[in-house]
Amino acid sequence: PISPLCLFPAASSLRAIHRRRPKPTTPERADCSSSRASICRTPTFHRLKPAPPGHQAVSSMTSPMPLSSPTNRARLTPAASSAGVLSPDMLFDVLLRLPAKELCRLRAVCRCWRSLTIDPLFISAHADLQRSPLFLARFQDDKVHIHVMDSSGNLVKRIAIPRGHQLLCTQLELACVASPSNSCCVLNPATGGLYALPRGPALVQPQRESLRRPDTFVFGRVPSTGEYKVIRTFNRAEFPHNDKLQPFEVFTLNGAASIGQWRILDSRDFIVEASSAVVVDGAVYFLMNSSYNRRGRAVTSGIPADYIASLDIEREEWRRDLQGPISGSPVIGDLDARDDYMFMWPQLALADLKGSLVLSYYRRRQFILDLWFLKDFEDGHWVKEYSIRTGSISFCLADEYRVKPLLMLDDGRLVIYAELTGLLLICDPQTNTLTEVETKHLDSVSVYAGNLLSLQEGNIV
């Protein structure tokens, strides 16, 4: 039998041939190609071993899809051009059309294929071609693994995580899992690597003895620097009643993360709901703590249900607060208005859709999902772009309070997560229809913005 290593050219030859193709129209690809031009060399090819007597040559493979022919193609030597060899550009195009799950397996075929599929040029081209979104999910019946799946519910990969850790909802190349016992780990879905953050509080935290069990972690990325940061918050039930400030701490992940320390952030004069956090364009947004809604406290305290706090994670400073577009000024003596106002609190959720902050309001009694998009932060201008009737699947959402939008697909459909029932839904706003993704019930879910072919994301994990 002929070894796979001698059937195909070396990876450096494949990349050299690929770079001689016409430059793409996108500036990014052109820059990428030119920046790597200095490492291109004259292609070299492995020759086929002599065929045994009577052996019939294997015909060359052709791609089932149209292939773009490279310009100035290097002529193969007669031996290398004989039957049984895939041309470099053909091999590149064939592998490029395979899903990431299969490519990860094919890396074991030979060193040539491994070198090609881990090359940044190939990974970038594959990401541009394979644009189907991926999700990270922890299922209710399997809480020691994170599963990578597509929008149809097909499982791509399974990654082990520590027991008792829940997946944070993000849209990043890395993921974060955390437990109520102050354990937090950053996960690289491509490699399966985990990095555990230190558990101790900030050294100068005045309440450090009583802050050993934070309630929630928030994971985000600074767009300007690419740094990842983890924020942990403390939602002690007694905070709103004894004038204690809600502590915040931040941890920066970079090349020196192993020697990093938690740092104190300034507190606010009110308590936020840490589990409501969403990171959009380098800012963390929080809704108000649900304790303000107990026994009508929200009505008497003057804190609206859709009042939003925002934190700049790069500067690690609080920004101006936002007033949401939903709450009005309910009359305390009007019991109907007061009840509607109190029911509003658990039906609100924050989301990131297409890079915009979105306030989701699921009117459970009417089976209507309203999505308000923030158009201008400084002016506090909101626009209700969607009002979706969920009657087509109301039997699944009958007991649901909070419905969280996760992602807007390229065709305008929305991916929605029903937290209480653990359902993942695809919504078509044009037809007001929702379909359930065929998968097991979810415990937590996140959008994966990375590429499974990448062997490393920065120098963190």
Side-chain angles (χ1 to χ4, degrees):
I2 300 175
S3 168
L5 186 59
C6 66
L7 280 177
F8 302 103
S12 59
S13 304
L14 296 173
R15 296 195 297 269
I17 292 295
H18 184 70
R19 293 187 184 93
R20 279 195 289 275
R21 298 183 178 193
K23 293 184 178 180
T25 56
T26 56
E28 292 79 8
R29 185 64 53 79
D31 294 340
C32 175
S33 178
S34 61
S35 64
R36 296 177 55 85
S38 60
I39 67 171
C40 295
R41 296 292 184 270
T42 302
T44 59
F45 299 88
H46 296 281
R47 296 177 180 273
L48 284 172
K49 294 181 180 179
H55 174 70
Q56 186 174 357
V58 181
S59 60
S60 59
M61 297 176 60
T62 57
S63 171
M65 301 183 66
L67 300 176
S68 57
S69 301
T71 58
N72 301 325
R73 182 191 301 273
R75 291 184 175 274
L76 303 179
T77 61
S81 301
S82 60
V85 176
L86 278 178
S87 63
D89 60 291
M90 184 178 295
L91 176 61
F92 191 100
D93 282 330
V94 168
L95 295 181
L96 198 64
R97 284 160 171 76
L98 296 178
K101 179 180 180 179
E102 304 304 328
L103 288 176
C104 290
R105 293 177 177 177
L106 291 175
R107 282 175 173 170
V109 171
C110 62
R111 286 174 292 177
C112 167
W113 285 22
R114 177 177 174 82
S115 298
L116 172 62
T117 56
I118 66 175
D119 186 275
L121 180 65
F122 179 87
I123 293 174
S124 177
H126 186 270
D128 291 342
L129 188 63
Q130 307 282 345
R131 301 186 62 87
S132 177
L134 293 176
F135 300 89
L136 305 176
R138 192 180 83 149
F139 298 121
Q140 294 180 3
D141 62 351
D142 182 6
K143 298 185 178 181
V144 293
H145 292 95
I146 296 295
H147 294 79
V148 184
M149 67 179 188
D150 61 21
S151 57
S152 298
N154 300 314
L155 300 184
V156 178
K157 186 176 182 180
R158 187 178 68 175
I159 308 166
I161 61 170
R163 184 176 297 274
H165 285 61
Q166 192 172 28
L167 177 67
L168 303 186
C169 187
T170 58
Q171 294 190 31
L172 299 169
E173 295 85 357
L174 300 179
C176 188
V177 294
S179 73
S181 60
N182 195 16
S183 175
C184 181
C185 300
V186 176
L187 169 67
N188 188 333
T191 64
L194 281 170
Y195 173 76
L197 274 63
R199 297 194 181 196
L203 295 179
V204 295
Q205 181 64 263
Q207 306 177 55
R208 65 191 313 263
E209 291 300 326
S210 61
L211 299 181
R212 296 180 179 178
R213 294 176 65 87
D215 286 299
T216 307
F217 292 85
V218 181
F219 187 49
R221 183 174 181 269
V222 180
S224 60
T225 64
E227 287 183 323
Y228 288 88
K229 293 189 178 184
V230 180
I231 298 171
R232 64 181 178 186
T233 62
F234 301 83
N235 273 358
R236 293 295 179 264
E238 68 272 11
F239 284 160
H241 306 288
N242 59 9
D243 297 328
K244 286 185 179 179
L245 297 178
Q246 183 181 25
F248 292 83
E249 295 177 349
V250 61
F251 190 98
T252 301
L253 292 98
N254 50 38
S258 59
I259 58 174
Q261 293 288 340
W262 289 99
R263 304 183 306 279
I264 296 178
L265 294 177
D266 292 335
S267 299
R268 296 301 309 269
D269 52 353
F270 48 74
I271 310 301
V272 303
E273 187 66 45
S275 61
S276 69
V278 65
V279 181
V280 182
D281 195 24
V284 188
Y285 296 92
F286 300 90
L287 291 170
M288 294 298 100
N289 189 272
S290 58
S291 61
Y292 289 117
N293 193 35
R294 295 174 184 169
R295 297 181 298 277
R297 179 182 173 87
V299 179
T300 58
S301 65
I303 298 179
D306 56 349
Y307 196 71
I308 302 171
S310 63
L311 173 69
D312 187 319
I313 60 175
E314 179 178 10
R315 301 174 60 185
E316 300 179 4
E317 296 178 353
W318 292 96
R319 307 194 302 174
R320 63 179 293 268
D321 300 330
L322 284 171
Q323 173 58 63
I326 300 174
S327 64
S329 300
V331 180
I332 297 178
D334 186 341
L335 293 181
D336 290 336
R338 178 173 173 174
D339 289 343
D340 290 341
Y341 187 76
M342 294 177 64
F343 272 112
M344 182 190 300
W345 285 70
Q347 298 176 151
L348 297 179
L350 298 175
D352 174 12
L353 295 180
K354 293 293 186 180
S356 297
L357 175 66
V358 174
L359 180 62
S360 168
Y361 178 29
Y362 178 55
R363 291 185 276 162
R364 177 172 173 261
R365 295 177 179 179
Q366 294 83 23
F367 292 107
I368 295 177
L369 176 63
D370 293 332
L371 299 181
W372 294 82
F373 284 68
L374 178 64
K375 295 301 183 180
D376 192 301
F377 175 81
E378 296 301 329
D379 296 338
H381 179 56
W382 298 83
V383 174
K384 184 167 68 173
E385 295 193 2
Y386 298 94
S387 186
I388 304 167
R389 296 187 178 275
T390 62
S392 61
I393 198 169
S394 59
F395 65 94
C396 293
L397 301 178
D399 298 325
E400 192 65 54
Y401 280 92
R402 183 175 289 112
V403 178
K404 184 178 180 64
L406 292 179
L407 181 69
M408 181 174 290
L409 303 177
D410 292 338
D411 59 6
R413 292 181 301 160
L414 294 168
V415 182
I416 297 174
Y417 172 48
E419 296 183 7
L420 186 61
T421 54
L423 298 179
L424 194 64
L425 308 171
I426 305 293
C427 169
D428 188 344
Q430 301 297 327
T431 59
N432 277 320
T433 57
L434 287 91
T435 56
E436 180 181 348
V437 177
E438 295 184 2
T439 183
K440 295 184 292 185
H441 285 201
L442 300 168
D443 174 76
S444 50
V445 65
S446 176
V447 179
Y448 179 49
N451 193 312
L452 291 178
L453 298 182
S454 302
L455 288 184
Q456 186 174 350
E457 173 62 31
N459 54 358
I460 299 171
V461 180

